Amino acid sequence: MQKIIKYTWCAALIATLGLQSCKDDYFDKLSDNPNQVPTPTLNALLATSTYKIGNNNFLIGNIVAPYVQYTANPSANAAGDTYQAIDFSTTWDALYFAMADANEMKKLAVAQGSSEYKGVADVIIAYNLTLVNDLWGDAPFSQAFDINNLRPKYDKQQEVYNQAIVLLDEAIVELAKTNATVKLAPTSDLIYGKTPATERANWLKMAYGLKARLLNKISKTSSYNPTAVLAALGNSFTSNADDAGMATFRERNPWANVALSNSQQSLGGWLSEQFIDALNGKTFTVFDPRIEKITDKTVNNIYIGTVNGAGNRLPGANTTKDECYISSNSPWTSNTAPILIVTYAELKFIEAEANFDTDKTKAYAAYLAGISANMDKLLVSTTARDAYLADPVVNVGAAALTKDLIFKEKYIATYLNPEAWNDARRFDYKYKDFGMPANAALPTFIRRLDYPQGERSKNGANVPTDVARTTKLWWDQ
């Protein structure tokens, strides 16, 4: 695997030790280590890549959760809550290492004639690349995996987006084939390996689902094509059973680790007032039963959240459990819950949005189906689900459906998913009662991250400079 790490490690050596180059013979010597695998197999790369797609979903979800006010810090003026500069070098590296692994899998799949492995590799690269693109905009890709180029150029953000679409289109072609010389190994596939009879078909559906998500993300641009969005959706998920999630962990789901740490008084995983009030009946005058499946009541037997940027309501009383937290009792964040990458419920809300301007009846049906699917995923009882769907605040009828309602319900359904920040930006943060955090470091809502210090030290002048965190990405104008 030394070739995969060459760019990051070599560049770090250059930055820290002032070396002119990293000698190939040094890396060649690494192969003398009997504990290293000089030539990884397709199965090993599949296991690594499918693990990392889930773990990176968590890493990014954790970063953006305070930006969309799912979570809040119990301390006032916390950096994430208040849009301060944060160095996400580790996350940047995690995303590029994941793409490098998948790129190695792709090359090996081509060499062995496996359309299935090649298609899956394309999906995984496209997903991780999209995460980079959504957080930072311009990014290295066209030269990123050339081991002889330690300072790859930055591609323009729209070019990166287009390349992700190309990768998904390539994946769709490959995964539609049924004659792969080497089939996916279910025991190594941490996303769909538990359903070997439909493993390839499920990856194909996932590719279409991610494509629909990407095509819908540009809704604020002149390039938006709802017909293309709907076409992709027509080939994607048809039920919750198709959801893409990763549920293989060393100990437990990392969100459950957050909940465990909180129970041991590390004070992480507090839920935002904005999110809790959207569920407890305060903001929308209807009690949402999903709250019972997302968090637990406080010691005062109520649901109450923390104000972003302001910290705990009772300073010095952070251990009394008087506000709501991420819960290990939730089907979303329990020890064994999968990290969900893309779901059927999310796709139904994309369908509702894509149909909104031309067919309100279809849009409304998709809106209701998205709510129902999300409630079923959270194991809400049929009685509670149907009562919520029948409430006049929710059951408004096709003619009265608004995009505000679609975005509001999708906000709840994408709880802790990185895609929620894309929606917030597309929607200009217009969720009801959604305000700037207290003590914000920026004058307006955050729109992007600063480029990491680690990348600045490794890639020098190629890294864009002086890009404010309030600068909108190309699709967010």
Side-chain angles (χ1 to χ4, degrees), residues 322-342:
D322 59 337
E323 299 185 33
C324 290
Y325 321 107
I326 288 173
S327 173
S328 59
N329 297 320
S330 168
W332 221 254
T333 52
S334 70
N335 290 352
T336 58
I339 299 173
L340 294 167
I341 298 160
V342 58

Side-chain angles (χ1 to χ4, degrees), residues 85-263:
I86 303 175
D87 183 13
F88 291 114
S89 292
T90 300
T91 302
W92 175 279
D93 288 347
L95 290 165
Y96 274 93
F97 282 140
M99 285 190 279
D101 287 340
N103 191 56
E104 291 299 304
M105 180 167 69
K106 180 176 179 177
K107 290 190 292 185
L108 192 57
V110 170
Q112 297 187 18
S114 177
S115 53
E116 293 190 5
Y117 276 94
K118 182 176 183 294
V120 169
D122 280 332
V123 171
I124 293 172
I125 296 169
Y127 180 74
N128 285 286
L129 181 62
T130 298
L131 292 175
V132 172
N133 195 216
D134 291 341
L135 298 180
W136 289 283
D138 294 359
F141 184 71
S142 60
Q143 297 179 356
F145 307 113
D146 178 357
I147 63 172
N148 296 309
N149 181 4
L150 301 183
R151 296 188 179 229
K153 72 172 185 176
Y154 271 61
D155 300 324
K156 294 298 182 183
Q157 55 187 289
Q158 190 167 354
E159 295 171 1
V160 177
Y161 168 88
N162 290 337
Q163 188 56 52
I165 293 288
V166 169
L167 286 164
L168 290 173
D169 283 339
E170 289 179 358
I172 287 167
V173 170
E174 297 299 320
L175 291 167
K177 298 175 181 177
T178 58
N179 60 345
T181 55
V182 181
K183 304 287 187 181
L184 293 170
T187 54
S188 298
D189 181 355
L190 307 187
I191 304 295
Y192 286 123
K194 292 182 179 179
T195 55
T198 57
E199 187 178 10
R200 176 196 58 79
N202 283 339
W203 276 104
L204 178 58
K205 290 179 181 179
M206 180 180 173
Y208 273 114
L210 291 175
K211 182 177 180 180
R213 178 193 274 177
L214 278 175
L215 292 174
N216 198 60
K217 187 170 65 179
I218 61 172
S219 61
K220 293 170 73 172
T221 75
S222 60
S223 300
Y224 180 59
N225 183 350
T227 301
V229 175
L230 293 170
L233 289 171
N235 291 289
S236 191
F237 299 165
T238 57
S239 72
N240 285 342
D242 296 330
D243 289 355
M246 197 284 290
T248 300
F249 315 109
R250 180 174 298 177
E251 293 180 324
R252 62 187 66 84
N253 179 306
W255 291 112
N257 274 332
V258 173
L260 176 63
S261 295
N262 181 281
S263 71

Side-chain angles (χ1 to χ4, degrees), residues 320-448:
T320 60
K321 307 301 181 187
D322 59 337
E323 299 185 33
C324 290
Y325 321 107
I326 288 173
S327 173
S328 59
N329 297 320
S330 168
W332 221 254
T333 52
S334 70
N335 290 352
T336 58
I339 299 173
L340 294 167
I341 298 160
V342 58
T343 67
Y344 172 68
E346 178 197 339
L347 297 185
K348 295 310 288 185
F349 292 117
I350 292 175
E351 181 183 340
E353 188 180 349
N355 273 313
F356 183 82
D357 290 331
T358 57
D359 195 327
K360 283 287 188 66
T361 299
K362 288 184 178 179
Y364 186 64
Y367 154 80
L368 293 176
I371 299 171
S372 183
N374 184 237
M375 289 201 168
D376 290 345
K377 193 77 175 181
L378 281 166
L379 305 181
V380 173
S381 71
T382 301
T383 301
R385 179 199 68 194
D386 292 347
Y388 180 81
L389 288 169
D391 191 283
V393 172
V394 179
N395 188 18
V396 297
L401 180 66
T402 63
K403 284 191 177 180
D404 288 29
L405 279 171
I406 295 171
F407 273 88
K408 172 251 184 178
E409 288 292 345
K410 191 180 178 189
Y411 171 74
I412 296 167
T414 53
Y415 169 56
L416 299 181
N417 192 296
E419 189 62 18
W421 193 28
N422 295 332
D423 284 338
R425 288 178 285 179
R426 285 196 306 119
F427 196 45
D428 292 321
Y429 290 89
K430 293 188 301 184
Y431 301 108
K432 187 177 181 182
D433 294 343
F434 197 107
M436 287 282 290
N439 306 307
L442 302 178
T444 60
F445 292 113
I446 189 169
R447 298 287 179 165
R448 64 195 301 152

Side-chain angles (χ1 to χ4, degrees), residues 1-10 27 30 36 97:
M1 298 296 286
Q2 59 264 34
K3 290 183 179 179
I4 294 177
I5 66 170
K6 184 173 181 181
Y7 161 55
T8 300
W9 194 20
C10 247
F27 286 93
L30 290 179
Q36 285 188 320
F97 282 140

